[in-house]
Amino acid sequence: LAVHLGTGALAEARLADCAEAVARRYAAEGRLVRGFVAGKLRRDPATRAVLSLAGADGFGHVLDIGCGRGQLALALLLSGHASAVTGIDRNAAHLAQAVRAAQFGAPGLDFRALQLDLSAGAALPVADTVLMIDVLYQLEPSAQDRLLHVAATAARQNLLIRTADPGRGLRSLLTRAYEVTTRRISPHGGDHVAHRPPRAIAGALRRHGFRVRILPCWQGTPFANVLLFASRSRLPHRTARRA
Ligand SMILES: C[S@@+](CC[C@H](N)C(=O)[O-])C[C@H]1O[C@@H](n2cnc3c(N)ncnc32)[C@H](O)[C@@H]1O
């Protein structure tokens, strides 16, 4: 049964518990990785947004594109918001960490890893919900078009994309400066920093038959991140606050 985050202090406590439970699974990877996982889950507004949007029905089988170390996937599985996750990334070491963390303890979590370079535009496994958190902008624009197409085709029900909005003034400038500066030294960096207007991404998703909302996803940060929540069914009212 999915644990609902709710709001206020209770939500914070549940999020902290979930982050700690996921981070414990990464203990074998060392203190730095365990600390990264706990901090990322607690402080990144994407965690709260994605867990909340999963709702009572959950996200079913999830395809997490650009999953990195898989901490968000494991949070969805542990909290009952996903029944299984397939994580895709090109970083073999991070995928191996995700698999070990999923297998920690018995009976383990249903996480499968697929190592793939997303820029080729290869077809992707079908899933109920597809996540692309902070990965689309790391590809060059024509590769982004191909990835959007294969991701939309793979998503039976929902597609969630987190990216930065290049049209939000100082926030956008700060986001770009941060990404460009850290890209080469960060283990999570990609080959490009190419943020596209969320409305253009939403337009492409609507052509694939999705209803799309664009929600702010920068709370507590100076960045310009938004979350596109695309669904093939009517969107629930609580997603109505648009960015
Ligand atoms: C900023 S990280 C985001 C990781 C994860 N979604 C999260 O929210 O923590 C971007 C991820 O995309 C992956 N990535 C970037 N370009 C890729 C490509 N061309 N093919 C496959 N994975 C790629 C990186 O290896 C990295 O794990």
Side-chain angles (χ1 to χ4, degrees), residues 36 40 44 64-69 71-72 88-91 94 116-119 132-135 137-139 162 179 187-191:
F36 165 81
K40 178 86 173 150
D44 187 340
D64 186 358
I65 297 177
C67 65
R69 294 186 162 99
Q71 71 278 349
L72 184 55
I88 297 183
D89 209 286
R90 67 180 175 184
N91 188 322
H94 287 179
L116 196 69
D117 187 336
L118 295 162
S119 56
M132 287 203 278
I133 307 297
D134 298 346
V135 62
Y137 68 87
Q138 295 194 348
L139 275 59
R162 212 260 295 257
E179 293 285 347
H188 312 109
D191 297 335

Side-chain angles (χ1 to χ4, degrees), residues 183-194:
R183 183 174 72 79
R184 287 179 201 283
I185 48 169
S186 165
H188 312 109
D191 297 335
H192 302 270
V193 180

